[in-house]
Amino acid sequence: MFNFRKNRLFRKIFWLLFFGITFVIVVFGFVGASIQKRSILELLHSEAKSLAQTITFSTTNALITEDSSYLIEFNTQYLQNNTKVKNIIIAKTAEQYFDIKKDLWSFDNKIDETFKKMQKREDVFDIIYSPNLKENVFHYTYPMEFSGIQWGWLHLSFDLKEYNQKIDSLYKQFFVLFIALVLLSFVISNYVAKKFTDPIIKLNETVSAITSDNLDIKVVVESNDEIGELSSAFNDMISQLNISQKHLKNSHENLEKRVDERTSELSHANERLSEKSNELSELNKNLDTKVKVEIEKRREQEQMLLHQSRLAAMGEMVGNIAHQWRQPLNALGIIIQNIQLSHKMNKLDEEFLAKSVNDSMDLTMMMSKTIDDFRNFFLPNKHEEFFFLDNSLNSSLELIDSTFKNYNIKVFIDIDKRLESKGFPNEFAQAILNVLSNAKDALIEKQIQEPKITVSLKKNNDMGIIVISDNAKGIDESIIPKIFDPYFTTKEQGKGTGIGLYMSKMIIEQNMKGRIFARNIKEGVEFVIEMPLYLENS
């Protein structure tokens, strides 16, 4: 079956195929095992995150009120009911640590450096050696954060028994599969090598016979590939040696045959040319359809960019909401603490309680109105409508006002009222908000000592001229022509999408029939927006 010694060509092809297939199998096994191992870790991560969120939610009040007894009692009972978790550590930001195990707990103001390194702003997980348990564990660290305040971290240490069992099972499965595939590759390599070398060996034997003046031998190779053609050529060569005279007599017949073959080839070429002509004609017929399809694709891309711009604006709005809610939330917390303090001092009467409730309701009503303002801001306009430019400008300024105050950015406003235009007011407000956010980011990034933004709206004939300027030292003249290009940004990677100004330009110039451009001034840069006004006598 195997002719390793006799057939050197067979041996070369066989080993080349065998080692090639084996190498692919090894790479596949290594990558597959790594992916499966990572999947098992991700399952543990998902389970740990779910448990951490449950524990954090259940102990929120205890953390806020510093009810240590409840924290210890709840987590001790949780450990006893969960066989996978072996250790829980509650690390407060005030350097207070509760180390809870199934059979005991302890309180300390220090934590092992191994755990402390895992205390970050996002959740962290890894397989580590636990100094508390003196063994390897799957350790998960979850940041306990609510109401915008970092209260500490929750450490969960999981038993690796089930994880090790899965890994062992995974390696066994891959080992069995590897052995089976190696055996299969051995069989395939032998079959393919034999399939390729047998015809060549037969040709080699025929050539040896011809060199011994044996012209009666024929090559018997039944294949329709190049080797079969070579075998036929050998047989033709032997026949030509035996009947050379006959070939001379039949040369005219062969010539006529070749002419017929060439004629047939020309006929086939003409048929293929006709097919190509038909394809070209069909392509011309479908050209209009393809153009429409490409236009639709372009429209879909623009809608996608608009959606991305809204998502980026929503991300900016989340930060604005956070700044706008921080003060009422602090006030609400003080009211609640005053109620608790008055109750402890037996001074909680109906008048004080009613006043506290009214103050709390006022704060919650104000926060609810903030939600409505932000939600209405992102409602898209389906139809064009008449709107006042000063209303949209003030709406955008109100939405970002708390962010400006948070970064000590002063805003100077000079706006003419009752200048009316036609278009999509929410989209226009979003375009203005993009320009304001861009100016804010420039001031923060360049760390301007006394940052300021100036917003003006004036009438110039039949146009409303909006100018938004800052004192952020301007933009490099070489990149000003590019700032409205899609995905172009001068910010650090991960801090800008490069679509905000592009979407502003598209909204102003395509949807509103206006014009927007930027230019450097003495202190920084100013964006000029020209909007056509609706005049009653026009």
Side-chain angles (χ1 to χ4, degrees):
M1 179 178 181
F2 304 105
N3 300 315
F4 288 101
R5 293 184 177 180
K6 184 177 180 181
N7 301 324
R8 289 173 294 176
L9 181 61
F10 173 89
R11 186 166 61 248
K12 291 180 180 179
I13 295 177
F14 173 85
W15 288 120
L16 179 63
L17 288 172
F18 179 77
F19 285 121
I21 296 173
T22 303
F23 175 77
V24 172
I25 292 171
V26 171
V27 173
F28 170 79
F30 179 79
V31 173
S34 299
I35 293 173
Q36 290 296 324
K37 187 175 180 180
R38 185 64 186 174
S39 298
I40 295 172
L41 276 176
E42 286 296 334
L43 286 175
L44 275 174
H45 172 219
S46 178
E47 181 180 359
K49 185 174 183 179
S50 177
L51 292 177
Q53 290 174 343
T54 301
I55 293 173
T56 302
F57 177 80
S58 301
T59 58
T60 298
N61 292 332
L63 283 170
I64 295 175
T65 60
E66 296 187 353
D67 188 353
S68 301
S69 61
Y70 179 80
L71 285 175
I72 296 169
E73 180 182 356
F74 175 84
N75 288 285
T76 302
Q77 186 176 1
Y78 196 92
L79 274 176
Q80 293 173 352
N81 294 333
N82 193 313
T83 58
K84 293 184 179 180
V85 183
K86 304 187 72 175
N87 185 206
I88 296 177
I89 299 175
I90 299 175
K92 293 186 177 181
T93 55
E95 300 295 331
Q96 296 177 347
Y97 303 95
F98 293 93
D99 185 1
I100 305 170
K101 302 182 179 65
K102 291 184 182 293
D103 53 351
L104 58 89
W105 66 272
S106 62
F107 172 82
D108 200 354
N109 58 0
K110 293 181 64 177
I111 190 172
D112 191 273
E113 195 66 25
T114 302
F115 300 138
K116 194 169 185 179
K117 289 180 180 179
M118 301 181 72
Q119 295 180 172
K120 299 182 179 179
R121 295 292 297 177
E122 67 278 356
D123 60 340
V124 179
F125 65 93
D126 200 359
I127 295 177
I128 64 171
Y129 178 80
S130 173
N132 290 2
L133 301 174
K134 307 302 181 182
E135 62 180 44
N136 289 330
V137 296
F138 174 83
H139 192 80
Y140 176 78
T141 304
Y142 179 78
M144 296 185 295
E145 181 178 353
F146 30 87
S147 299
I149 300 174
Q150 178 75 42
W151 291 88
W153 292 267
L154 178 64
H155 296 265
L156 300 178
S157 296
F158 287 76
D159 190 355
L160 286 178
K161 182 178 180 181
E162 183 178 347
Y163 170 81
N164 291 331
Q165 289 175 349
K166 290 182 178 179
I167 294 298
D168 291 339
S169 176
L170 173 66
Y171 286 155
K172 289 178 181 178
Q173 291 175 3
F174 272 96
F175 179 77
V176 172
L177 180 61
F178 172 78
I179 296 300
L181 291 176
V182 168
L183 293 176
L184 181 61
S185 68
F186 191 89
V187 174
I188 292 174
S189 300
N190 177 72
Y191 173 80
V192 174
K194 192 173 185 301
K195 192 74 174 178
F196 273 98
T197 56
D198 279 353
I200 298 175
I201 292 172
K202 291 181 180 179
L203 286 173
N204 186 50
E205 292 173 352
T206 302
V207 171
S208 299
I210 292 174
T211 56
S212 301
D213 296 330
N214 184 5
L215 299 180
D216 295 328
I217 192 170
K218 297 289 185 182
V219 180
V220 181
V221 176
E222 297 179 357
S223 62
N224 56 358
D225 52 11
E226 288 78 6
I227 295 177
E229 293 176 0
L230 182 60
S231 302
S232 298
F234 265 93
N235 291 332
D236 291 341
M237 183 186 67
I238 297 171
S239 299
Q240 289 173 3
L241 291 174
N242 286 324
I243 53 173
S244 59
Q245 293 298 325
K246 183 178 180 179
H247 282 184
L248 288 175
K249 293 179 181 180
N250 296 329
S251 59
H252 293 289
E253 297 178 1
N254 292 333
L255 179 61
E256 184 177 352
K257 182 179 179 181
R258 287 195 293 271
V259 170
D260 291 339
E261 290 176 352
R262 293 297 298 171
T263 302
S264 177
E265 291 177 0
L266 288 174
S267 176
H268 290 314
N270 289 332
E271 291 177 0
R272 289 194 295 271
L273 182 60
S274 177
E275 292 175 358
K276 294 296 182 181
S277 298
N278 293 334
E279 292 177 1
L280 182 59
S281 177
E282 188 68 20
L283 181 62
N284 290 331
K285 292 179 182 179
N286 296 332
L287 184 59
D288 184 63
T289 302
K290 291 183 177 180
V291 170
K292 292 180 180 178
V293 170
E294 290 300 324
I295 292 175
E296 186 64 24
K297 287 182 179 179
R298 177 64 181 271
R299 186 179 293 111
E300 292 176 357
Q301 289 175 353
E302 291 179 353
Q303 290 297 323
M304 185 181 300
L305 286 174
L306 180 59
H307 180 65
Q308 290 177 350
S309 176
R310 284 188 175 275
L311 290 179
M314 288 177 69
E316 185 75 20
M317 288 302 98
V318 170
N320 293 335
I321 292 175
H323 292 304
Q324 199 150 332
W325 274 21
R326 185 167 287 114
Q327 182 176 355
L329 281 174
N330 289 337
L332 190 60
I334 292 172
I335 291 173
I336 295 172
Q337 290 176 352
N338 288 338
I339 293 174
Q340 184 184 25
L341 181 61
S342 297
H343 180 266
K344 289 182 178 180
M345 298 177 66
N346 294 323
K347 293 183 179 181
L348 183 63
D349 53 17
E350 291 185 358
E351 180 182 355
F352 180 83
L353 183 61
K355 183 179 182 302
S356 298
V357 170
N358 290 334
D359 292 343
S360 299
M361 291 302 298
D362 290 340
L363 290 171
T364 55
M365 289 289 289
M366 183 183 68
M367 294 167 70
S368 177
K369 181 179 180 299
T370 302
I371 294 175
D372 293 336
D373 291 341
F374 282 92
R375 181 176 60 188
N376 294 333
F377 179 77
F378 284 102
L379 289 177
N381 299 112
K382 297 182 178 179
H383 305 286
E384 286 186 313
E385 59 184 75
F386 294 101
F387 67 98
F388 291 106
L389 295 176
D390 57 315
N391 290 342
S392 293
L393 273 173
N394 288 327
S395 175
S396 299
L397 287 168
E398 288 175 2
L399 290 175
I400 202 171
D401 180 66
S402 59
T403 303
F404 283 162
K405 290 180 179 178
N406 183 68
Y407 291 105
N408 298 319
I409 298 175
K410 294 183 178 180
V411 182
F412 301 91
I413 301 174
D414 184 12
I415 296 177
D416 288 348
K417 297 183 178 180
R418 313 305 291 178
L419 297 183
E420 193 174 20
S421 184
K422 185 179 182 181
F424 306 93
N426 281 2
E427 278 76 1
F428 176 74
Q430 181 184 346
I432 296 298
L433 186 63
N434 288 342
V435 177
L436 291 171
S437 297
N438 192 73
K440 179 259 297 181
D441 292 340
L443 291 169
I444 296 172
E445 181 180 356
K446 295 182 180 180
Q447 299 180 353
I448 303 301
Q449 293 298 321
E450 296 181 1
K452 68 176 182 179
I453 293 176
T454 303
V455 180
S456 68
L457 168 60
K458 300 295 178 181
K459 180 181 177 182
N460 184 12
N461 297 326
D462 59 347
M463 300 294 290
I465 308 300
I466 303 164
V467 179
I468 301 174
S469 62
D470 59 51
N471 62 337
K473 300 181 180 179
I475 305 175
D476 189 344
E477 290 289 345
S478 63
I479 66 173
I480 284 184
K482 302 178 183 179
I483 62 175
F484 292 103
D485 292 344
Y487 302 112
F488 178 83
T489 178
T490 59
K491 300 175 184 176
E492 297 179 7
Q493 185 174 4
K495 294 186 178 180
T497 61
I499 61 175
L501 293 179
Y502 170 76
M503 291 309 305
S504 296
K505 186 177 182 66
M506 190 172 70
I507 291 170
I508 297 298
E509 297 188 355
Q510 294 187 14
N511 298 352
M512 305 286 188
K513 309 303 181 185
R515 178 172 175 247
I516 181 173
F517 61 92
R519 61 192 177 196
N520 282 322
I521 57 177
K522 183 178 180 180
E523 292 183 331
V525 66
E526 69 176 12
F527 285 82
V528 180
I529 301 173
E530 301 175 352
M531 290 291 295
L533 298 178
Y534 170 73
L535 304 177
E536 293 182 354
N537 58 354
S538 62

